[in-house]
Amino acid sequence: MSDSCLSATIAGITMANPLVAASGCYGYGFDYRHCIDPACWGAIVVKGTTLHPRLGNPPPRLVETPSGLLNAIGLQNPGIAYFLKYIRVRLPELGCPVLVNIAGETLDEYRRLAALLNGVDEVAGLEVNISCPNVKKGGISFGCDPALVYELVCRVREAYRGPLIVKLSLEAGNIVSVAEAATRAGADALSLINTIKGMVIDVQKRRPVLGNSTGGLSGPALRPLAVRAVWEVSQAVSVPVIGMGGIMQAEDALQFILAGSAAVAIGTANFVNPAVPKEICDGLKRYLADNGFTHYRELIGLARPGS
Amino acid sequence: MHPNSDFMHRCELVDLTRVAQGCFRLKLYAPALTGAEPGQFVHLRAGSSTDPLLRRPFSIHYVDQKAGEIWLLIRVVGPATSALSRLRPGAELDLLGPLGNTFPAREEAAAAMLVAGGIGLAPLYFLARRRLEAGLAFDLLLGGAEGSSLPGDAFFDCAGLKPMLATEDGSRGFKGTVVDLLKQRLESGEKPSRIHACGPVPMLARVVDLGKIYAVPVHISLESLMACAVGACLGCVFPFKINGMLEYRRVCRDGPVFNGEEAHFNFV
Ligand SMILES: Cc1cc2nc3c(=O)[nH]c(=O)nc-3n(C[C@H](O)[C@H](O)[C@H](O)COP(=O)(O)OP(=O)(O)OC[C@H]3O[C@@H](n4cnc5c(N)ncnc54)[C@H](O)[C@@H]3O)c2cc1C
Ligand SMILES: Cc1cc2nc3c(=O)[nH]c(=O)nc-3n(C[C@H](O)[C@H](O)[C@H](O)COP(=O)(O)O)c2cc1C
Ligand code: FES
């Protein structure tokens, strides 16, 4: 099948395929260049970026769990000023659209980040992270309250004219209300899910393993929860959903698409197999050909009753 | 759209030998990796299931350019290393590399001291053989809890290496830790041009302290849990103190070899 069977438009962003490199797992897009051409992605979302530089959490920051990974990076990043001055100019080298994931400690920080990125040509859109489980202020504490989410997204929307994606957590318990609030406030798309808070205890030391005690769970262990979240949210809102959580291969991506994802993001799988975007594209094309479809778009939400 | 084969490899295991208790040497046919230098590592996948999920980092233990082989030295501590120890020659391994920086390769008149704690021997063996081949002077100090946890004499003899051993139970060589042995050598007036150390973090901290006392620069090779191993996830960081400021550096990309004086051991 030709490559055009995977072409996608999400929140007005034209992408060669519906695969997105998930925030925090792909740096600024350059680190995997020795392994694979970054242009093979539909889009890349860069590491969570904050108004001021952040040191991040003390190590250890990672621990493996059954079919999963707990991370507590704590949004280590050089801050938006550094990004705009040094990283922005290099982004066109990547050869695919790049989105910036932003995280604030206050509503005003989110608004200022959005204003600073407004009109920046090298940035295709924003992903507003209201769901980071690894920082004390901001992050997930915003993402659980639909009224607060509405307020936050309204402020970002006023400050930023380009494509706006809001990233949700399942932690809220009411992900559908949060999704509806974000959409009402003007989000062009939603991405879900962020990691879920977990813990591992070292029984020899009788202490939590991670320096931050808790961390966010990603990888295959998260997948069924994420597929369910996409299923619920995509039926409740009219904007496209970017699904993620434990996608390792084409079959996993297909689950998300059939549940209602218009695109899928891939994080942890890159650590295991840097060729994963290419392999999933090939796998999706094979599935389309084998099952008599001409474009992946025909599969979106096809698992829903009545489809 | 093509994975770059310079960094992603499928290599055949040509030999697996038990060299000490719980410690195995793997020889992989990997001509594309024979340009690797001491200090660098590979990130390899033990099996194809999602448990264990992540790749695991291992130092390059030696490069045999003629045979087109890279060697690994692996101590069994958990599921991935145990799966690797059960492989048979002919098995195919999926690995990324070579990754990371190298021990600084400066030619000095005075001998360098290579200080290895346990499996920290893996990269220092490579450095030692490189120095031997280049005719550069060095001493190799190797410590372990007990004699049986360290490779036997033949392992070193056939490479022309003569390590000074330290065992805590005194069953082989000096009785005490490798740091005690290093301390004794420095106290007796020896003045190496520099120290290269690899081993557990508490050991490295003590070696760096000795380096400060005796004014010998120390290079340390750090270990850390890794996810990406290419610098993308910021998961493997270690604290450093640079101009009085705390800074987290990535062991995989900024290291694994660092200037010991800058490592902020008190923080961990
Ligand atoms: C740059 C680098 C080079 C390395 N080189 C070698 C080498 O040459 N030979 C070798 O045998 N090992 C080496 N290691 C360590 C090796 O990566 C781990 O032993 C391995 O990941 C353990 O996997 P596992 O599934 O068997 O055990 P796990 O279940 O992952 O771990 C078992 C136990 O070991 C501890 N552990 C795991 N990884 C590390 C680590 N990186 N450092 C300290 N403790 C750890 C865990 O906390 C746990 O208690 C290196 C690590 C790094 C970062
Ligand atoms: C090491 C690591 C760092 C992450 N950092 C961020 C971040 O900065 N911002 C964000 O929105 N999500 C972050 N995430 C979450 C991922 O983008 C993604 O939502 C999650 O990992 C689920 O997908 P996966 O199972 O494919 O990894 C991070 C995940 C990991 C594993
Ligand atoms: S392991 Fe990902 S940055 Fe080092």
Side-chain angles (χ1 to χ4, degrees):
Chain A
M1 289 204 102
S2 83
D3 288 341
S4 62
C5 68
L6 295 181
S7 64
T9 305
I10 307 292
I13 304 167
T14 310
M15 315 195 313
N17 60 60
L19 304 191
V20 178
S23 178
C25 302
Y26 225 68
Y28 292 97
F30 300 100
D31 298 313
Y32 276 103
R33 271 183 311 177
H34 297 298
C35 299
I36 190 160
D37 182 359
C40 70
W41 290 99
I44 293 174
V45 186
V46 305
K47 176 69 191 164
T49 302
T50 51
L51 200 55
H52 305 292
R54 276 184 67 98
L55 202 52
N57 286 328
R61 290 179 173 182
L62 300 172
V63 60
E64 194 171 318
T65 60
S67 298
L69 167 67
L70 279 188
N71 88 80
I73 310 299
L75 289 178
Q76 176 177 344
N77 80 97
I80 188 72
Y82 184 95
F83 172 84
L84 289 171
K85 191 161 175 201
Y86 298 107
I87 299 169
R88 175 180 63 89
V89 292
R90 296 178 56 208
L91 297 178
E93 288 169 36
L94 296 171
C96 71
V98 178
L99 290 99
V100 178
N101 181 279
I102 59 167
E105 290 187 0
T106 61
L107 294 192
D108 195 54
E109 281 193 11
Y110 279 101
R111 181 194 61 76
R112 285 167 66 191
L113 283 160
L116 286 166
L117 286 160
N118 189 43
V120 173
D121 286 341
E122 296 87 347
V123 173
L126 294 194
E127 183 179 68
V128 185
N129 180 0
I130 54 167
S131 45
C132 182
N134 294 326
V135 291
K136 295 212 168 52
K137 283 188 258 171
I140 202 162
S141 53
F142 286 117
C144 293
D145 177 352
L148 203 54
V149 168
Y150 180 78
E151 173 78 24
L152 189 155
V153 177
C154 281
R155 296 231 196 146
V156 171
R157 180 74 285 178
E158 277 166 26
Y160 187 76
R161 261 169 265 118
L164 183 63
I165 299 167
V166 176
K167 183 158 178 182
L168 308 178
S169 160
L170 197 55
E171 211 92 63
N174 54 347
I175 190 165
V176 171
S177 335
V178 174
E180 286 166 345
T183 320
R184 259 188 291 118
D188 300 310
L190 302 174
S191 52
L192 55 140
I193 60 177
N194 209 321
T195 56
I196 294 181
K197 217 189 256 195
M199 185 185 276
V200 173
I201 289 175
D202 181 330
V203 298
Q204 297 308 321
K205 294 184 184 154
R206 294 182 280 278
R207 290 280 177 280
V209 170
L210 293 173
N212 185 53
S213 298
T214 60
L217 179 66
S218 66
L222 198 60
R223 193 190 308 137
L225 306 180
V227 173
R228 184 268 287 179
V230 167
W231 171 270
E232 290 179 1
V233 168
S234 64
Q235 294 183 65
V237 299
S238 53
V239 298
V241 167
I242 304 171
M244 72 193 83
I247 297 175
M248 306 299 287
Q249 51 189 353
E251 195 187 311
D252 308 335
L254 281 162
Q255 285 198 49
F256 279 84
I257 295 168
L258 292 166
S261 290
V264 292
I266 298 159
T268 303
N270 293 291
F271 307 153
V272 181
N273 175 16
V276 74
K278 190 189 173 323
E279 289 179 12
I280 292 185
C281 276
D282 291 347
L284 291 179
K285 284 185 212 161
R286 226 176 298 124
Y287 183 88
L288 294 176
D290 291 350
N291 293 278
F293 295 95
T294 55
H295 196 279
Y296 95 90
R297 211 183 296 119
E298 297 155 38
L299 301 173
I300 300 172
L302 213 56
R304 289 178 198 148
S307 300
Chain B
M1 290 274 281
H2 297 291
N4 183 336
S5 58
D6 288 353
F7 269 81
M8 299 167 66
H9 312 273
R10 290 191 161 276
C11 311
E12 190 188 323
L13 178 68
V14 287
D15 183 63
L16 186 147
T17 311
R18 183 181 174 279
V19 296
Q21 202 179 323
C23 184
F24 296 80
R25 182 183 59 202
L26 282 66
K27 295 184 176 179
L28 306 175
Y29 182 68
L33 281 156
T34 52
E37 294 287 336
Q40 292 192 292
F41 64 99
V42 294
H43 204 32
L44 71 81
R45 203 168 169 194
S48 55
S49 85
T50 60
D51 207 0
L53 176 66
L54 297 173
R55 290 171 180 269
R56 298 290 197 266
F58 295 98
S59 300
I60 294 174
H61 171 51
Y62 187 63
V63 164
D64 183 341
Q65 250 137 358
K66 261 198 229 125
E69 289 171 3
I70 64 159
W71 300 2
L72 307 177
L73 190 68
I74 293 182
R75 148 156 278 128
V76 176
V77 294
T81 46
S82 143
L84 289 169
S85 74
R86 289 190 305 266
L87 291 176
R88 295 282 165 81
E92 202 181 52
L93 281 169
D94 171 351
L95 55 88
L96 303 182
L99 298 163
N101 65 0
T102 63
F103 288 104
R106 282 245 306 275
E107 300 194 19
E108 297 110 358
M113 233 176 230
L114 279 46
V115 183
I119 200 68
L121 172 66
L124 291 178
Y125 172 96
F126 188 11
L127 183 63
R129 288 193 67 173
R130 273 291 161 86
R131 289 188 73 96
L132 198 64
E133 289 156 15
L136 297 170
F138 68 93
D139 281 319
L140 175 60
L141 279 57
L142 169 64
E146 49 204 36
S148 59
S149 66
L150 300 175
D153 294 337
F155 178 90
F156 298 102
D157 286 347
C158 63
L161 298 176
K162 293 182 177 46
M164 276 161 270
L165 302 183
T167 52
E168 283 164 55
D169 66 358
S171 57
R172 282 169 73 194
F174 176 89
K175 183 172 185 335
T177 67
V178 72
V179 181
D180 299 332
L181 175 60
L182 172 67
K183 186 159 175 248
Q184 196 195 53
R185 303 284 305 260
L186 294 170
E187 273 171 356
S188 73
E190 241 175 281
K191 182 90 178 134
S193 59
R194 63 183 62 225
I195 295 171
H196 300 288
C198 186
V201 168
M203 171 205 133
L204 295 178
R206 293 184 59 204
V207 172
V208 169
D209 282 344
L210 286 175
K212 282 183 192 155
I213 295 169
Y214 291 93
V216 182
V218 179
H219 285 96
I220 54 170
S221 176
L222 284 170
E223 282 195 4
S224 166
L225 285 150
M226 290 185 180
C228 72
V230 298
C233 74
L234 305 174
C236 63
V237 301
F238 193 86
F240 289 83
K241 212 172 194 172
I242 314 291
N243 301 324
M245 297 277 283
L246 173 67
E247 204 177 282
Y248 291 120
R249 295 197 168 165
R250 299 165 299 185
V251 172
C252 68
R253 182 71 175 271
D254 306 316
V257 181
F258 293 93
N259 175 354
E261 246 177 73
E262 292 179 341
H264 195 4
F265 290 109
N266 297 341
F267 192 82
V268 275

